[in-house]
Amino acid sequence: MALKVLLVEDDRELRQTLRDALTVEGYDVQTSASASDASALLKHSISSGAAFDLLLLDLGLPDGNGSDLLHQVRNQFNLPVLIISARHDEDHKVHLLDAGADDYLVKPFSISELLARMRVALRHRGTSVQAALTSYQSGHLAVDVTKHEVRIDKRLVKLTPTEFKLLARLVRQAGQVVTHRQLLSDVWGVEFLEHTHYLRLYMAQLRSKLEHNSTEPKLLLTEPGVGYRLCEPD
Ligand code: CA
């Protein structure tokens, strides 16, 4: 059965382009040009027993900025939310990620990028076993969360406990962006939210141990102004 996607985007041209592209990929796409209309569609989807599997949400909408809708979704539904934003929405984007959006794409983005992010978000929600994750393997990297073992190309890499915690947190959301705030609170604790220099320091250490070339990271990617992403090859 086709996965149902709700696309909320007020730009008519982009809405049609995305709808067509996603339909070709086999998604069942419904569209909406406003937050209020999207909210009605979401409510209807529940009462009609045909819930959406994913929400694509533009931030700049004629009747709101996406926040209220995200709030409603987080309270009432369990579906992944991908934010579609323009570059100037930066602050807002971080706010929405902290509020529980799964990921974001900055316009203009390629369809293949969108599809890849959608797959990651759907997989994370579909499995919902993030807390129970015991091992992770992708590309050169292998992490045994239970044994606290990390390998690059099968070679054991020694990490400090904090480095391991940071890596494990990124592994839990592999392929998705994790905000500075989420990393600081989960690795160091909520009282460390302002200590972004910890992140820079520990990320540099992790890169020097895990990347082939730490000045050109391929694994631990920086999302400027937002956070970090553990790159997951398709
Ligand atoms: Ca817009």
Side-chain angles (χ1 to χ4, degrees):
M1 207 174 72
L3 289 170
K4 285 169 65 75
V5 173
L6 176 56
L7 165 64
V8 188
E9 169 61 68
D10 61 326
D11 180 326
R12 197 160 68 97
E13 209 171 313
L14 181 59
R15 194 168 66 234
Q16 284 177 354
T17 305
L18 291 178
R19 187 189 58 198
D20 292 351
L22 293 176
T23 304
V24 167
E25 290 296 320
Y27 289 100
D28 175 359
V29 186
Q30 280 194 54
T31 61
S32 159
S34 70
S36 55
D37 183 34
S39 173
L41 279 171
L42 281 164
K43 278 188 196 128
H44 178 73
S45 74
I46 294 296
S47 57
S48 67
F52 288 103
D53 297 293
L54 184 121
L55 172 64
L56 287 177
L57 179 60
D58 174 32
L59 284 187
L61 294 168
D63 58 343
N65 54 28
S67 277
D68 295 342
L69 195 60
L70 176 69
H71 202 69
Q72 187 195 351
V73 166
R74 277 290 152 268
N75 283 335
Q76 298 175 23
F77 314 98
N78 176 34
L79 82 162
V81 180
L82 287 194
I83 303 291
I84 310 172
S85 81
R87 179 116 3 225
H88 60 259
D89 292 326
E90 198 85 358
D91 285 349
H92 208 89
K93 183 173 76 190
V94 176
H95 172 74
L96 292 186
L97 286 166
D98 281 334
D102 290 68
D103 208 341
Y104 71 90
L105 286 141
V106 177
K107 296 173 191 173
F109 49 82
S110 69
I111 297 296
S112 59
E113 183 70 29
L114 171 66
L115 293 169
R117 296 289 172 78
M118 284 172 64
R119 281 195 297 272
V120 170
L122 286 164
R123 193 174 65 232
H124 276 281
R125 290 286 163 167
T127 52
S128 277
V129 289
Q130 299 169 23
L133 184 72
T134 54
S135 68
Y136 173 81
Q137 165 90 57
S138 179
H140 302 282
L141 175 72
V143 181
D144 187 321
V145 179
T146 336
K147 290 188 194 157
H148 281 216
E149 268 181 16
V150 178
R151 287 169 196 274
I152 289 286
D153 297 328
K154 304 213 165 68
R155 177 180 55 85
L156 200 61
V157 181
K158 207 166 158 38
L159 299 185
T160 68
T162 304
E163 288 166 359
F164 185 83
K165 257 177 116 174
L166 180 56
L167 179 64
R169 179 62 186 83
L170 289 165
V171 160
R172 223 171 83 198
Q173 259 175 278
Q176 292 183 312
V177 66
V178 187
T179 66
H180 297 135
R181 201 180 162 82
Q182 289 167 334
L183 289 169
L184 285 163
S185 78
D186 291 354
V187 176
W188 284 274
V190 282
E191 63 275 35
F192 290 89
L193 289 180
E194 306 303 318
H195 294 51
T196 46
H197 58 285
Y198 283 17
L199 268 181
R200 282 197 298 275
L201 178 72
Y202 278 88
M203 199 56 71
Q205 287 174 200
L206 269 183
R207 280 174 174 154
S208 74
K209 292 182 179 184
L210 301 179
E211 298 280 358
H212 288 153
N213 175 0
S214 60
T215 55
E216 274 178 52
K218 297 272 192 287
L219 193 61
L220 301 162
L221 307 182
T222 299
E223 296 283 334
V226 180
Y228 295 92
R229 181 192 301 272
L230 179 68
C231 178
E232 187 150 83
D234 262 342

